[in-house]
Amino acid sequence: MDAARFGRTDGRAEDWLTLLLRDATPHELIKYREELVASGVPDTYAEAQLGDALSVSELLSQHRRKATELAALNDIAGRLASVTDVEVLLQEIVEQARNLLHVDLAYLSLVNEDTITIVVTTGQISSQLNGLTMPVTEGFSSSIVANGAPEWTSDYPDDDRFEHHSRADAAAHGEKIRGLLGVPMLSRGDTIGVLFAGKRQERTFIPDEIELLTSLAAHASVALENSRALTEQRRAAEQSKKVNQQLEAILDWDRTLTQAALHGGDGDDFVAAVAEKANCRVLFLRRAADLPSDISDDVRDSVETVFAKDVEVPHRVETEACSLLAMPVVASGHMMGALVLCRSQGQERSDHSLIVERAAPLMALLLVGQRAAEEAARKTKDGLLVDLLTRPAADRRSATIQARMIGLDPSRSYTVVVVLPTSNKMRVRQAVDRLSLPEGSVIGEHGRLVVVLVPEAEADRIADTWFDARGLDATVGISGSTNDVTELRKCFDDAAQTVDVMLTLDRQGEVGTAERLGIYRILLSNGGPREVERLYRLYLGALCDEEERSGVPLIQTLDVYLRNSQRHAATAAELNVHSNTLYQRLDKLSRILGPRWKEPDRALDLQLILRLKHSAARLDER
């Protein structure tokens, strides 16, 4: 690879972007950095650009991995829906679980009344797992079956959070199992089995892996029930035509829903496909409050109970006007919303439960995939925004390109707003997202901070219109505005320092601008702290020297005396000293500062210098 290939050798951002867009490997990125250094680019500069490129490459890799996993799950859903042989189906489940999670072995257990039995394994090195039967209330799987929620352990033999079972421990020892993840297979609110993924080394299972295995188990549960239903139908050929038609309807629904999920659309497209197939009104609600206003209040109350419940079963409501069925959409135990089918009374009916039970897992899978893609895109955008606000721009051209990539219009003026949460960052970010900010505003995150770029020049108007008294539970600093993208870094520094100064002034939870800081604005300038120190030594240097020599807290005495409006009793009480001691200290202050230090103008000067010194010290600590 030759750096001159791109027409320049200064390591500009677009050259790195060209490499990233063609999926350059880390080795190629490192090699390009070496070529830049060899061509004369400073080593530290090239190393910084390499770090940024590697970070973006990792984010893109994560995005592609999420897309690959989603495509694999969709493919699995399509193939599972077509499998009718139970043994073939169960083998397919465990093999896909092992491949998707990159584990050493996987196995599936089915619940039969009060026992649970391992029926299929893959990757095993002994025969101890095959056919292992245990009481459903004992061992690692007991809480999974009881709670209907995933469980995992990074080191099975040494984990004392659950009661070990001797037969299960013997099998685990034979297989050398260490890391173990189990997720429930749910059907109509009941746990019908548990899907396990095991590793022969210690293994921490991350939320994405748990969601992935949970989604596979959800599809496997539906397909397993279908397969069992078809098997029973074959064994009972004498059943009536009505039963056969119902089974055909089940297959038809599964094919329709699977195709809708595999079509590549989002959740709205999937809901529209379900509504078209069901020939009735279908809604997806993220919360009960999202129910349309034309729905009656009695139905509204029933839908709220669906969100209040902690079980994955449909909830039916019958009124004079309509028949409604709501089904929670859940992934990894997290309530993502509810599918609601509304059918007018007298309209041709079909099995609502059949529709929502098969649609809800696919809807959950679509939402999980969509959320993963959005999260990857958000992290990439946040990374570019942080880079623009915290690193010196190589030149205006590269800064302009980067600004456009994060959604900024380089021709407009922007003001930077820094939001420091005082408690939960997620709730603060959600509150900022709900603000009716001007069109073109960009929101991102930098560590604990939420950063907002607003296309508005008046800092006071931004504070009063969008951020004042909004209940953000945060401290907010607002910079001046700029129409130069290379100056956004300085605006960010000003906004962040405004937050720091406000915290030193005990103004946590307030909104402030540099202009509103008054005399404390001096602390934001480059030479401000030095100027404060110069004035402090000029006015109080002799007092500091005397305090160091005698050990008497003269500075504290002066500060408390002035804050208490020169009232002797209040000052002595706060200092916890006798009144005679206070008078002695005040006499010493007069000898050092001169007889006029108590006069209003002189006292105000001293009090302001003390406050600035205190604030500068706290700001320096931050």
Side-chain angles (χ1 to χ4, degrees), residues 1-11 15 18-19 22 28 31-36 38-39:
M1 188 189 338
D2 186 359
R5 181 187 310 167
F6 303 101
R8 54 185 65 87
T9 58
D10 59 353
D15 296 342
T18 300
L19 291 172
R22 69 174 186 80
E28 291 175 316
K31 186 175 180 181
Y32 179 56
R33 175 259 180 201
E34 294 172 350
E35 292 174 2
L36 291 177
S39 67

Side-chain angles (χ1 to χ4, degrees), residues 67 80 223 230 234 260 390 408 491 509 517 534:
L80 288 179
L230 287 173
R234 293 192 184 101
T390 59
L408 299 177
C491 290
L517 290 178
R534 186 188 71 80

Side-chain angles (χ1 to χ4, degrees), residues 19 58 73 115 146 153 215 232 264 395 445 470 472 540 590:
L19 291 172
E58 175 62 20
L73 280 175
T115 61
T153 175
S215 298
E232 290 298 322
D395 51 56
E445 296 180 17
R470 293 284 177 171
L472 290 180
L540 299 174
S590 297

